[in-house]
Amino acid sequence: MTPRDVSGDDSRWSDLDRPPLNAAALRRGLVREGGLWSGIEVVTDTGSTNSDLVARARAGKAAEGTVLVAEEQTAGRGRLDRQWTAPPRSGLFFSVLLNPADVPVSRWGWLPLLTGVAVATGLSRSAGVDTALKWPNDLLVTVGGKERKAGGILAERAGENGVVVGVGINVSLREDELPVPGAGSLALAGAVSTDRDPLLRAVLRSLEEWYDRWRAAAGDPTVSGLQETYAAGCATLGRTVRAELPGDRSLVGEAVAVDGDGRLVIATQEGVQEPVGAGDIVHLRPA
């Protein structure tokens, strides 16, 4: 689907609880000389902001710091190509292009975890919601005393030096609009605000802050403070988990650490500590 651009004010919207994003105001607030964000585009709808931005980056038509936001995604994707759908203007669905050429490629795997820390920090400041991180890329909120997934992160290579990081956050979804049982939203978690403009500004400012810190440390997760901060906000650590691994293999044990490569370390009953770099994680019981 070809994305449709929108201006700062769109008179076609009808849901008074879900006004459109103000693209012009977002640009004024975020794009500045010497800053990370070089351009912000808001489209009415598209298949996937990640797919669109990856294609632009590979064609040399997007600079680092480009932000592409969609009011609605019709083919949004999570990990393992799972679909991500939500009503128009009910969430924040955006992708950013990063070019961490001065960071060793071996450390680029920290970018989704860094984004999780940045999103959680930004939402805490702007929405007053505590967001926990489920390794490697889920955003959890508490609704009625239970953890629910309210967002996710997906990173994809874009050419030789680029990485596109996509973020999806359920903001104002009501219980009857949730895509799957067990999902959540900021509204259901008691957010003090569901105004998406300040929420997006807060998240992008936090992301710029953490990205600059990480790059200044040449991607070192210890020096930048990223490893410690991620571990402090990670709901997976200290729990019994099952890791669904490639090749139809699974691993059960206690999640004890996130190592220097961003991998989840699982201690099995046999006394072996095994780092997991990719896989689906199921929380089997509370910490």
Side-chain angles (χ1 to χ4, degrees), residues 178-218:
L178 297 173
V180 294
S185 69
L186 300 185
L188 292 172
V192 296
S193 171
T194 55
D195 185 340
R196 293 177 306 139
D197 279 86
L199 295 181
L200 181 56
R201 284 197 298 271
V203 167
L204 288 175
R205 284 174 181 147
S206 180
L207 181 51
E208 179 175 11
E209 219 173 274
W210 272 105
Y211 183 65
D212 287 348
R213 188 185 305 183
W214 179 73
R215 284 185 71 170

Side-chain angles (χ1 to χ4, degrees), residues 12-273:
R12 291 170 295 177
W13 59 276
S14 57
D15 191 333
L16 296 178
D17 293 327
R18 292 172 176 163
L21 291 164
N22 188 322
L26 288 168
R27 284 190 283 269
R28 285 195 302 271
L30 293 163
V31 178
R32 58 185 174 79
E33 189 70 33
L36 172 61
W37 307 121
S38 56
I40 297 173
E41 180 182 355
V42 179
V43 297
T44 302
D45 55 58
T46 191
S48 161
T49 56
N50 254 38
S51 296
D52 293 345
L53 197 49
V54 166
R56 291 188 200 180
R58 287 176 176 164
K61 296 180 179 179
E64 180 177 40
T66 297
V67 182
L68 178 61
V69 191
E71 296 284 29
E72 180 183 17
Q73 282 193 127
T74 57
R77 291 172 295 122
R79 287 185 64 251
L80 307 178
D81 278 334
R82 290 176 179 140
Q83 278 200 315
W84 182 283
T85 58
R89 301 181 304 277
S90 66
L92 289 173
F93 317 111
F94 65 94
S95 297
V96 304
L97 175 61
L98 304 175
N99 182 7
D102 47 356
V103 173
V105 174
S106 61
R107 290 173 170 168
W108 288 14
W110 274 98
L111 280 170
L113 307 186
L114 180 155
T115 302
V117 168
V119 170
T121 304
L123 293 179
S124 175
R125 291 173 182 166
S126 57
V129 170
D130 285 333
T131 308
L133 304 169
K134 179 187 173 190
W135 188 93
N137 62 354
D138 287 348
L139 306 166
L140 305 178
V141 296
T142 302
V143 180
K146 294 183 179 179
E147 282 182 343
R148 296 200 193 179
K149 178 179 175 179
I153 296 159
L154 179 67
E156 298 181 72
R157 287 291 292 268
E160 192 174 333
N161 297 316
V163 178
V164 168
V165 182
V167 178
I169 305 167
N170 293 336
V171 176
S172 63
L173 271 80
R174 299 178 282 269
E175 194 77 45
D176 61 345
E177 295 175 316
L178 297 173
V180 294
S185 69
L186 300 185
L188 292 172
V192 296
S193 171
T194 55
D195 185 340
R196 293 177 306 139
D197 279 86
L199 295 181
L200 181 56
R201 284 197 298 271
V203 167
L204 288 175
R205 284 174 181 147
S206 180
L207 181 51
E208 179 175 11
E209 219 173 274
W210 272 105
Y211 183 65
D212 287 348
R213 188 185 305 183
W214 179 73
R215 284 185 71 170
D220 189 308
T222 303
V223 174
S224 63
L226 178 58
Q227 186 175 4
E228 181 182 5
T229 305
Y230 184 87
C234 182
T236 304
L237 294 180
R239 300 172 95 138
T240 299
V241 301
R242 182 177 67 249
E244 304 289 354
L245 305 175
D248 290 329
R249 180 171 161 256
S250 65
L251 179 70
V252 175
E254 182 184 352
V256 295
V258 174
D259 71 10
D261 294 319
R263 298 176 300 179
L264 184 68
V265 180
I266 297 176
T268 67
Q269 287 185 332
E270 292 76 28
V272 177
Q273 292 198 353

